[in-house]
Structure formats: structure tokens, C-alpha cells
Amino acid sequence: MSVDTRVPAPAEATASPPPPVHRPSPRPVRSVVVLAPFLLTVVLGLWGIRRENTLWGDEAVTYALAQRDLSQIWHTVQHVDLVHALHYALMHAVFDLFGAGLLTLRLPSVLAMAAAASAVALLGRRLAGSRVGLLAGLVFPLLPQVQKYAQEGRSYALVCALVAWATYALVTGVARHTRGRWALYGGSMLLACLLHEFAVLALVAHGVTLLVSRVPRPVLRAWGVAAAAVVTGLAPLVVRSAAQAEQVAWIEAPVRLPGFALVAVLGLVCAFVPAEGRGRPVRLSALAVPLVALPCLLLLAASLVKPLFVDRYVLYSHVGIALLTGSGAHHVRRLRRSSGNPWITVGVGATAVAVLAALVPTSLALRAPASRSNDATAVGAALRETGRPGDGLLYAPALHRYWTEPNPGDTRALTDLALAESPVASHTLAGVELPAPVIAARMLRFDRIVVVHGRAGAHLTGSPQERAKTLTLRQHFRARATTHVNGARIVLYVRDR
């Protein structure tokens, strides 16, 4: 009888290995959520910020007015551009500290938009988690209109940043009902509205968010007090600026509405995607959807009476678009991870590559001078090339004189035939012109006159001065050479003999 001397294997050796444990990836820390969007926005903002050393016409106004002293700015805005008075004063302080220049003009907008990106990230983090916050914050600076106005010396980026941070103060004020947070909310919104009046439409969106979220009555009362304070503080500016309504007479139809609507609709589609944040006092969609839709719709409704819609007036709506897009992207990411289907991964990757590829030509185009409606720098360069010392100079209409104010050297060799008082001396944008008969008489003393015309087909004002310019040119001069630049025509007229 044989004895089996084999030693049985340990139980551990024969048991099957335990299934792998899928641990969720670590959530981004708060510093990453805040800093990554900020840095991305700064990088994109600095990329091509000089735009080939060109100035958009409205930027030329900022550049010129910010170099006047505060008393001159104050007297000027009594006649024109009162709605931008605070921005001109802020840029005057910036120019005093760092000197006037293209970088100094545009860098505040870059930094403001970067601050807005951080606010978007914090909003997404608070409403739906760190990953949504990070994605929303990274989406925000990629949006074309955000890239565009991050590089402009106007107030729109500052307004966007203030509305974004006011929205964050609103959300935190709902969760932690303190006077300090509501004071911060009201102060930020008031400052945004003083920089541009249409920021008040974000106030309406915030109110709808609170109603939809069914917040407690004390929160509604606190918001009501803050909103009343904002409206009260804004009222004097609205009343005074109403007398300057002719400044928006150029708006004949909604400006760049299709492009804005396309991006907004893409964001709103993401509102139907299930999002994190259940149980929070304010849901992400309840905040973002009104912020995207209401300012646009209210401005379009007002345009039925008087056209007022310009996409940059509601630039802050992109805060809501980024939040919705970030939430949608996070949902797709979760779907891809949970399904395990490789084709979903391929599809998501291909879509991401296609979107980024589509953004590249858009981003390049936004950094070219042709991306703006006019080019004040090109007007000055054309005047230097077309005119010669001793030639006459006319602006038709006179308002276009502000295009050449930032660089007086462009017109120093020419004689302005219509100017009676300079823009600085008259506290205006375009100066004060001579009476019509005097302009006509001065024109007849010159054999060559260089005229800055607006875009072909643009209507001239019906002032006697403009009629005198047009009639005298038609009867006594003929066009010899025309230079077309972005937004203008520079025409050399010679005297008929």
C-alpha cells in the first residue's frame, strides 16, 4: 500500500485572482480648477494681441480719450459716449501708470477675461463638481467671441468678468446667506452696469434663476434689495445717456446675431444632458439657461421698437454657454467610461479633434486686422501714401475724424479744410466744423483734396456741412485715385480746370 506524500497547494495559490477595482480618478483640486482656465485665457489673449499693430475704430476712441485728463473726459462725455465714461476714466489711470500703447490698451481686457474664466470654473465646481468646473473654465476661453473681446481696448471684457463674479457671489449668497456676499453681488453688478448699461439684463436672468430654484424668501428679499440698489445707482446714467441715443443709430438690424445664436444653441442643447448637482440649492441649468437666453431675447424684443442688438452687448451670456458646454462634455466623458464601448471613445475623440480643428482658423482670423469692422490704422497709412504736403483733407462724414486722432502724424502734412475747433479743445470726438459756406470756399482754394469716406454705400448725415462737401466735390473736382481699406475709402480728388 503506497502513501501519497504530495503536499496540497495552499488555498491562495489555487484561488482565482480578485477582479480589478475601478477607482474613480482623483478630482481636480481647487487651485487647478481656478488657475488652468486663467492661464489658458492669458495665453490665448497674448497670442497675436497687437493684431499687426492695428486699431479698431472704437478702440481708437478709447485710445484718444484715455489720454485726455479727467476733466476733459468729463466734459466730453456730456456730449457723447457717456455710457463709456467709467471705462475711459479707468483707462486714463492705466495709461498714467504704464504709458499709452497697444499692449497697455488691451492687456486689461486679457486679464479681465482670464478672471472671468476663473469665475466660470468656480461656478461649475460649486454647481456640479470639480470636473465640470474645470471643463467649463477651459471651454470659456476657446469660445470665439471670448477670444475676440479679450483683445480689445473696450469695456466688454471687464463687464463679462464682473457679471461672472457677481453670479458666483449670487450662488454663494444662496448657500450662505450673509450681508457681505449680497453686498459683493450688488457692488459687482452695479459696477458692471456702469461700465455698460445692458449688463442690467443679467440681473433679470439672476432673478429668474432664484425663482426657478425656489430659494427661501429671505434670499429672494436679499436679492431684491441688491437689485433695487443696482437699478437705483444706474438710473441717473440711463436718464442722462438717453439724450445721446443717436450713438446707436448705426444699428439698423441685429448685429452678428446668427453667430451668437449658433454658439448659444449649442450650449442650450447641453441643458438637456443629465448633470451632477442634485440636492444643491441652485442647479447648473437653472443658472446657465436664463443667463444665455434672457439677455439676448430681451434685447431682441427691445429691437422691435428700436434696433439695439449687438452681440458684444451680451457677451457675458458666454458664461452660461461655457457652463452648459462643460457639463455636457463631462456627461459624455462619464458615458464613455461607463459603457466600455471603444467606438464611443473613438467618436468622442474624433469630435473633439474636429471642434479644435474648426477653432484654429477662427482663432487665426480673429487676430487679423480684417476681423474688425474697420481699421483706423489703415486709414492713417492710406492718408500718408495718398496725400502730399499742402493737400486739403476732408472727412465725410466728420465723425470719421476720430480714426486719425490717436496718431496726429498721419495728417500733419495735410490741411483739414472743415475743422474749426479740435476734438480736444471742443470736448468732442470729431471736433467742431466750420459753417458750410466757409468749407466750400476753402475747398475751392485747393487743387488736391484727400477725402476720408465711410464704407461704400454708407449714408452721410444731412448736415449743411456734409451737403457742402458733397456738392463742391461733385461740381468742381473729379476723383483721381481711390484706396480701399477695411471700413473706409480714401479718395484723392483733383480740381477740374
Side-chain angles (χ1 to χ4, degrees):
M1 177 177 180
S2 61
V3 179
D4 188 359
T5 59
R6 290 177 298 175
V7 179
E12 291 83 356
T14 59
S16 60
V21 178
H22 294 284
R23 295 184 176 86
S25 56
R27 293 180 180 272
V29 296
R30 178 169 178 166
S31 59
V32 173
V33 172
V34 173
L35 288 178
F38 184 93
L39 294 175
L40 177 61
T41 309
V42 169
V43 169
L44 291 176
L46 294 178
W47 170 35
I49 189 172
R50 288 186 174 275
R51 244 179 11 252
E52 300 179 24
N53 294 318
T54 59
L55 271 174
W56 177 45
D58 283 12
E59 287 183 300
V61 175
T62 303
Y63 192 84
L65 284 185
Q67 294 183 74
R68 302 182 188 182
D69 62 43
L70 290 176
S71 64
Q72 289 175 324
I73 293 174
W74 175 249
H75 285 101
T76 300
V77 298
Q78 303 309 305
H79 306 290
V80 63
D81 258 3
L82 181 61
V83 292
H84 296 297
L86 180 58
H87 184 242
Y88 295 148
L90 290 173
M91 290 308 301
H92 171 82
V94 172
F95 282 5
D96 269 358
L97 288 173
F98 304 105
L102 275 180
L103 283 177
T104 318
L105 176 69
R106 293 173 179 156
L107 194 56
S109 293
V110 174
L111 297 177
M113 205 63 90
S118 293
V120 170
L122 285 175
L123 275 168
R125 180 178 184 270
R126 188 167 192 94
L127 295 174
S130 294
R131 295 191 187 94
V132 172
L134 181 59
L135 288 169
L138 294 175
V139 164
F140 181 76
L142 296 177
L143 297 173
Q145 290 300 87
V146 172
Q147 292 190 55
K148 179 177 181 178
Y149 292 105
Q151 293 188 330
E152 290 204 349
R154 298 296 279 175
S155 63
Y156 307 110
L158 295 170
V159 173
C160 187
L162 287 166
V163 171
W165 280 102
T167 306
Y168 183 70
L170 174 78
V171 171
T172 57
V174 171
R176 298 180 181 178
H177 183 49
T178 63
R179 291 183 179 179
R181 294 178 188 274
W182 289 108
L184 180 61
Y185 169 76
S188 300
M189 281 303 304
L190 178 58
L191 190 54
C193 293
L194 293 177
L195 282 167
H196 199 279
E197 293 175 1
F198 289 147
V200 75
L201 299 177
L203 202 66
V204 180
H206 291 161
V208 171
T209 292
L210 296 182
L211 289 174
V212 170
S213 301
R214 298 181 180 179
V215 298
R217 287 185 179 274
V219 172
L220 277 178
R221 283 197 297 268
W223 175 83
V225 170
V230 171
V231 172
T232 302
L234 180 63
L237 176 62
V238 173
V239 172
R240 294 289 299 275
S241 63
Q244 300 177 3
E246 70 278 0
Q247 283 188 254
V248 292
W250 63 272
I251 307 175
E252 298 178 350
V255 178
R256 290 182 294 274
L257 176 60
F260 175 86
L262 174 62
V263 177
V265 168
L266 291 176
L268 290 173
V269 167
C270 297
F272 296 97
V273 173
E276 294 182 5
R278 289 182 175 84
R280 289 180 169 92
V282 177
R283 296 286 300 278
L284 186 144
S285 59
L287 176 77
V289 171
L291 194 57
V292 174
L294 281 179
C296 175
L297 293 177
L298 290 171
L299 209 52
L300 286 173
S303 296
L304 296 175
V305 178
K306 179 178 176 59
L308 289 173
F309 183 90
V310 182
D311 60 340
R312 59 180 176 266
Y313 293 171
V314 290
L315 179 65
Y316 51 82
S317 292
H318 286 71
V319 172
I321 294 171
L323 287 171
L324 291 170
T325 307
S327 175
H330 178 58
H331 176 72
V332 171
R333 174 182 174 274
R334 286 190 304 169
L335 181 64
R336 177 184 63 82
R337 289 174 62 88
S338 62
S339 68
N341 189 333
W343 290 108
I344 294 181
T345 301
V346 172
V348 171
T351 302
V353 170
V355 170
L356 292 175
L359 285 173
V360 170
T362 302
S363 299
L364 290 171
L366 287 172
R367 287 155 178 83
S371 64
R372 272 55 177 183
S373 57
N374 54 57
D375 185 351
T377 308
V379 171
L383 286 174
R384 291 196 306 271
E385 295 176 2
T386 304
R388 63 191 186 193
D391 286 352
L393 172 64
L394 287 174
Y395 297 87
L399 183 62
H400 292 158
R401 189 174 281 109
Y402 72 78
W403 284 347
T404 56
E405 190 180 353
N407 189 5
D410 293 337
T411 59
R412 188 167 291 128
L414 308 176
T415 302
D416 194 327
L417 302 179
L419 187 63
E421 195 173 7
S422 71
V424 175
S426 62
H427 303 302
T428 61
L429 294 183
V432 175
E433 295 204 327
L434 295 162
V438 178
I439 294 175
R442 294 192 73 188
M443 290 173 66
L444 295 176
R445 298 174 193 163
F446 285 75
D447 292 328
R448 291 166 47 100
I449 299 176
V450 182
V451 181
V452 180
H453 288 287
R455 193 185 303 273
H459 297 292
L460 292 177
T461 62
S463 70
Q465 287 90 340
E466 300 303 337
R467 290 196 298 269
K469 296 173 193 176
T470 302
L471 184 61
T472 305
L473 288 171
R474 183 182 301 142
Q475 292 179 345
H476 301 282
F477 292 81
R478 57 185 172 84
R480 170 175 287 182
T482 301
T483 302
H484 292 273
V485 299
N486 184 14
R489 293 172 294 129
I490 313 302
V491 183
L492 172 62
Y493 291 87
V494 295
R495 183 78 178 271
D496 283 331
R497 294 297 184 183

